[in-house]
Amino acid sequence: RRVRAPETTAPTAVCVLRDAVLACFASKKLWRLDLVIGEWRDLGVHGAARRLALDAREDRVALIGGGGSSVVILEVESGSSTTFSTGAAAAVSGWWVGDDLVVASVDRRCCAWRDGACVATLAPVADNALGAVTAVASGGDGRWVVGDSRGRVALIEDGALLWRADAHAKSAVLAVQFANGVLHSFGRDGKMATFEVDDDAPHLASIQPLHVSVSGVCDDVTWGVVGAELVVLDVATNMRRATVAGTNRGRPHGVRVAGNSVRAVAAASDDNDFLIVESETKCVTCGAPLVADGVAA
């Protein structure tokens, strides 16, 4: 379905919740769309964030990249917010890892923050062994798995490099997953590299073409923009779980995965609308017309 945006300025970031959508705009306003009643609510001026990072419990969202080093953390239900500064350099990206918010800055510094205090340094590490941090996941207690702009993955423990491996030749890592001794790395080259990690040492198991420049990953699903479509893929089968037609790489988008349910939201390319798909089938396409498993809805 299409939903009209609440204002005419360009959207800069989108975040998908259980029953709502958060959208930040160039006006520096943050809006919340209630998907049940279909109405927008103004959450005030917070900056024109380029990234909205939602924690795993969907209790807090971090607004990152709105200019300067300030990061805003918004309580989703109450609407209250707190702000802290990461230092002199502008914050450009962020990821929740448990209760910690990992923030990367334009000067290649990357730290984990809790309640406005720095609790660990992920970059830089000794001997300039990593490029800019572009993806982060939990590596266990007090450890983080990171991907960098040089196509490498690494395990970090508060500024110490424990191991490093090449994943994507001359192509940045866009997302990482690490669980049960298996590391998945998704690169700008449209490929997924799989490592088996034994005794804190990674071993490359496979490289699989996904044909998608990944912008997000959750559980067994990954997504990214291909041409004029936001494509949601099942990682194991490389099959499409959902497709949102009518957007492009320059437009903000977000995806929420819960079991077999997929909700994908993207800003339309042709006008001031948001395109929304909700799917529990293997493929649903949003465009004109809306199609479900090949049957016009």
Side-chain angles (χ1 to χ4, degrees):
R1 57 173 166 155
R2 281 179 176 258
V3 176
R4 177 64 63 178
E7 58 176 78
T8 58
T9 65
T12 59
V14 171
C15 180
V16 186
L17 309 179
R18 185 180 300 106
D19 55 4
V21 174
L22 296 179
C24 198
F25 290 80
S27 65
K28 300 184 179 181
K29 277 191 175 184
L30 181 68
W31 292 82
R32 175 177 176 138
L33 171 65
D34 189 310
L35 292 173
V36 177
I37 62 177
E39 294 182 356
W40 291 94
R41 178 160 62 96
D42 185 354
L43 298 183
V45 175
H46 295 282
R50 295 293 174 180
R51 180 176 176 87
L52 299 177
L54 183 67
D55 72 355
R57 295 189 298 269
E58 300 191 10
D59 292 333
R60 297 173 295 173
V61 61
L63 287 74
I64 301 166
S69 60
S70 295
V71 175
V72 177
I73 297 179
L74 182 78
E75 300 291 334
V76 172
E77 289 302 320
S78 68
S80 62
S81 64
T82 57
T83 302
F84 70 92
S85 175
T86 61
V92 293
S93 197
W95 309 263
W96 286 101
V97 180
D99 292 328
D100 299 331
L101 178 64
V102 177
V103 181
S105 301
V106 71
D107 62 355
R108 296 193 174 186
R109 183 174 175 82
C110 184
C111 296
W113 299 81
R114 187 183 305 163
D115 299 326
C118 180
V119 295
T121 298
L122 281 65
V125 292
D127 301 323
N128 194 29
L130 290 175
V133 172
T134 52
V136 178
S138 174
D141 187 25
R143 295 179 173 183
W144 290 265
V145 173
V146 304
D148 76 355
S149 57
R150 300 172 185 171
R152 297 174 297 195
V153 291
L155 183 65
I156 305 294
E157 185 177 50
D158 194 12
L161 178 66
L162 302 183
W163 54 252
R164 186 185 70 184
D166 294 324
H168 308 275
K170 300 180 181 179
S171 182
V173 177
L174 300 181
V176 288
Q177 276 186 320
F178 182 59
N180 302 317
V182 177
L183 168 62
H184 295 304
S185 171
F186 302 85
R188 194 179 298 278
D189 57 3
K191 298 177 182 179
M192 178 182 71
T194 300
F195 294 85
E196 296 177 354
V197 181
D198 297 320
D199 299 324
D200 289 337
H203 308 281
L204 181 63
S206 66
I207 296 180
Q208 176 185 354
L210 296 178
H211 308 297
V212 174
S213 183
V214 169
S215 58
V217 59
C218 180
D219 297 334
D220 60 347
V221 170
T222 187
W223 58 89
V225 176
V226 180
E229 296 178 338
L230 170 61
V231 177
V232 183
L233 291 177
D234 185 291
V235 172
T237 64
N238 207 13
M239 297 291 290
R240 294 192 182 202
R241 289 277 298 275
T243 303
V244 183
T247 187
N248 60 46
R249 192 177 302 276
R251 303 292 277 170
H253 55 267
V255 175
R256 181 181 184 273
V257 181
N260 292 327
S261 176
V262 173
R263 176 180 292 142
V265 179
S269 300
D270 54 357
D271 53 27
N272 204 35
D273 287 353
F274 286 93
L275 305 168
I276 302 175
V277 161
E278 298 184 57
S279 168
E280 293 191 4
T281 61
K282 63 182 180 181
C283 183
V284 170
T285 302
C286 177
L290 181 66
V291 175
D293 285 339
V295 180

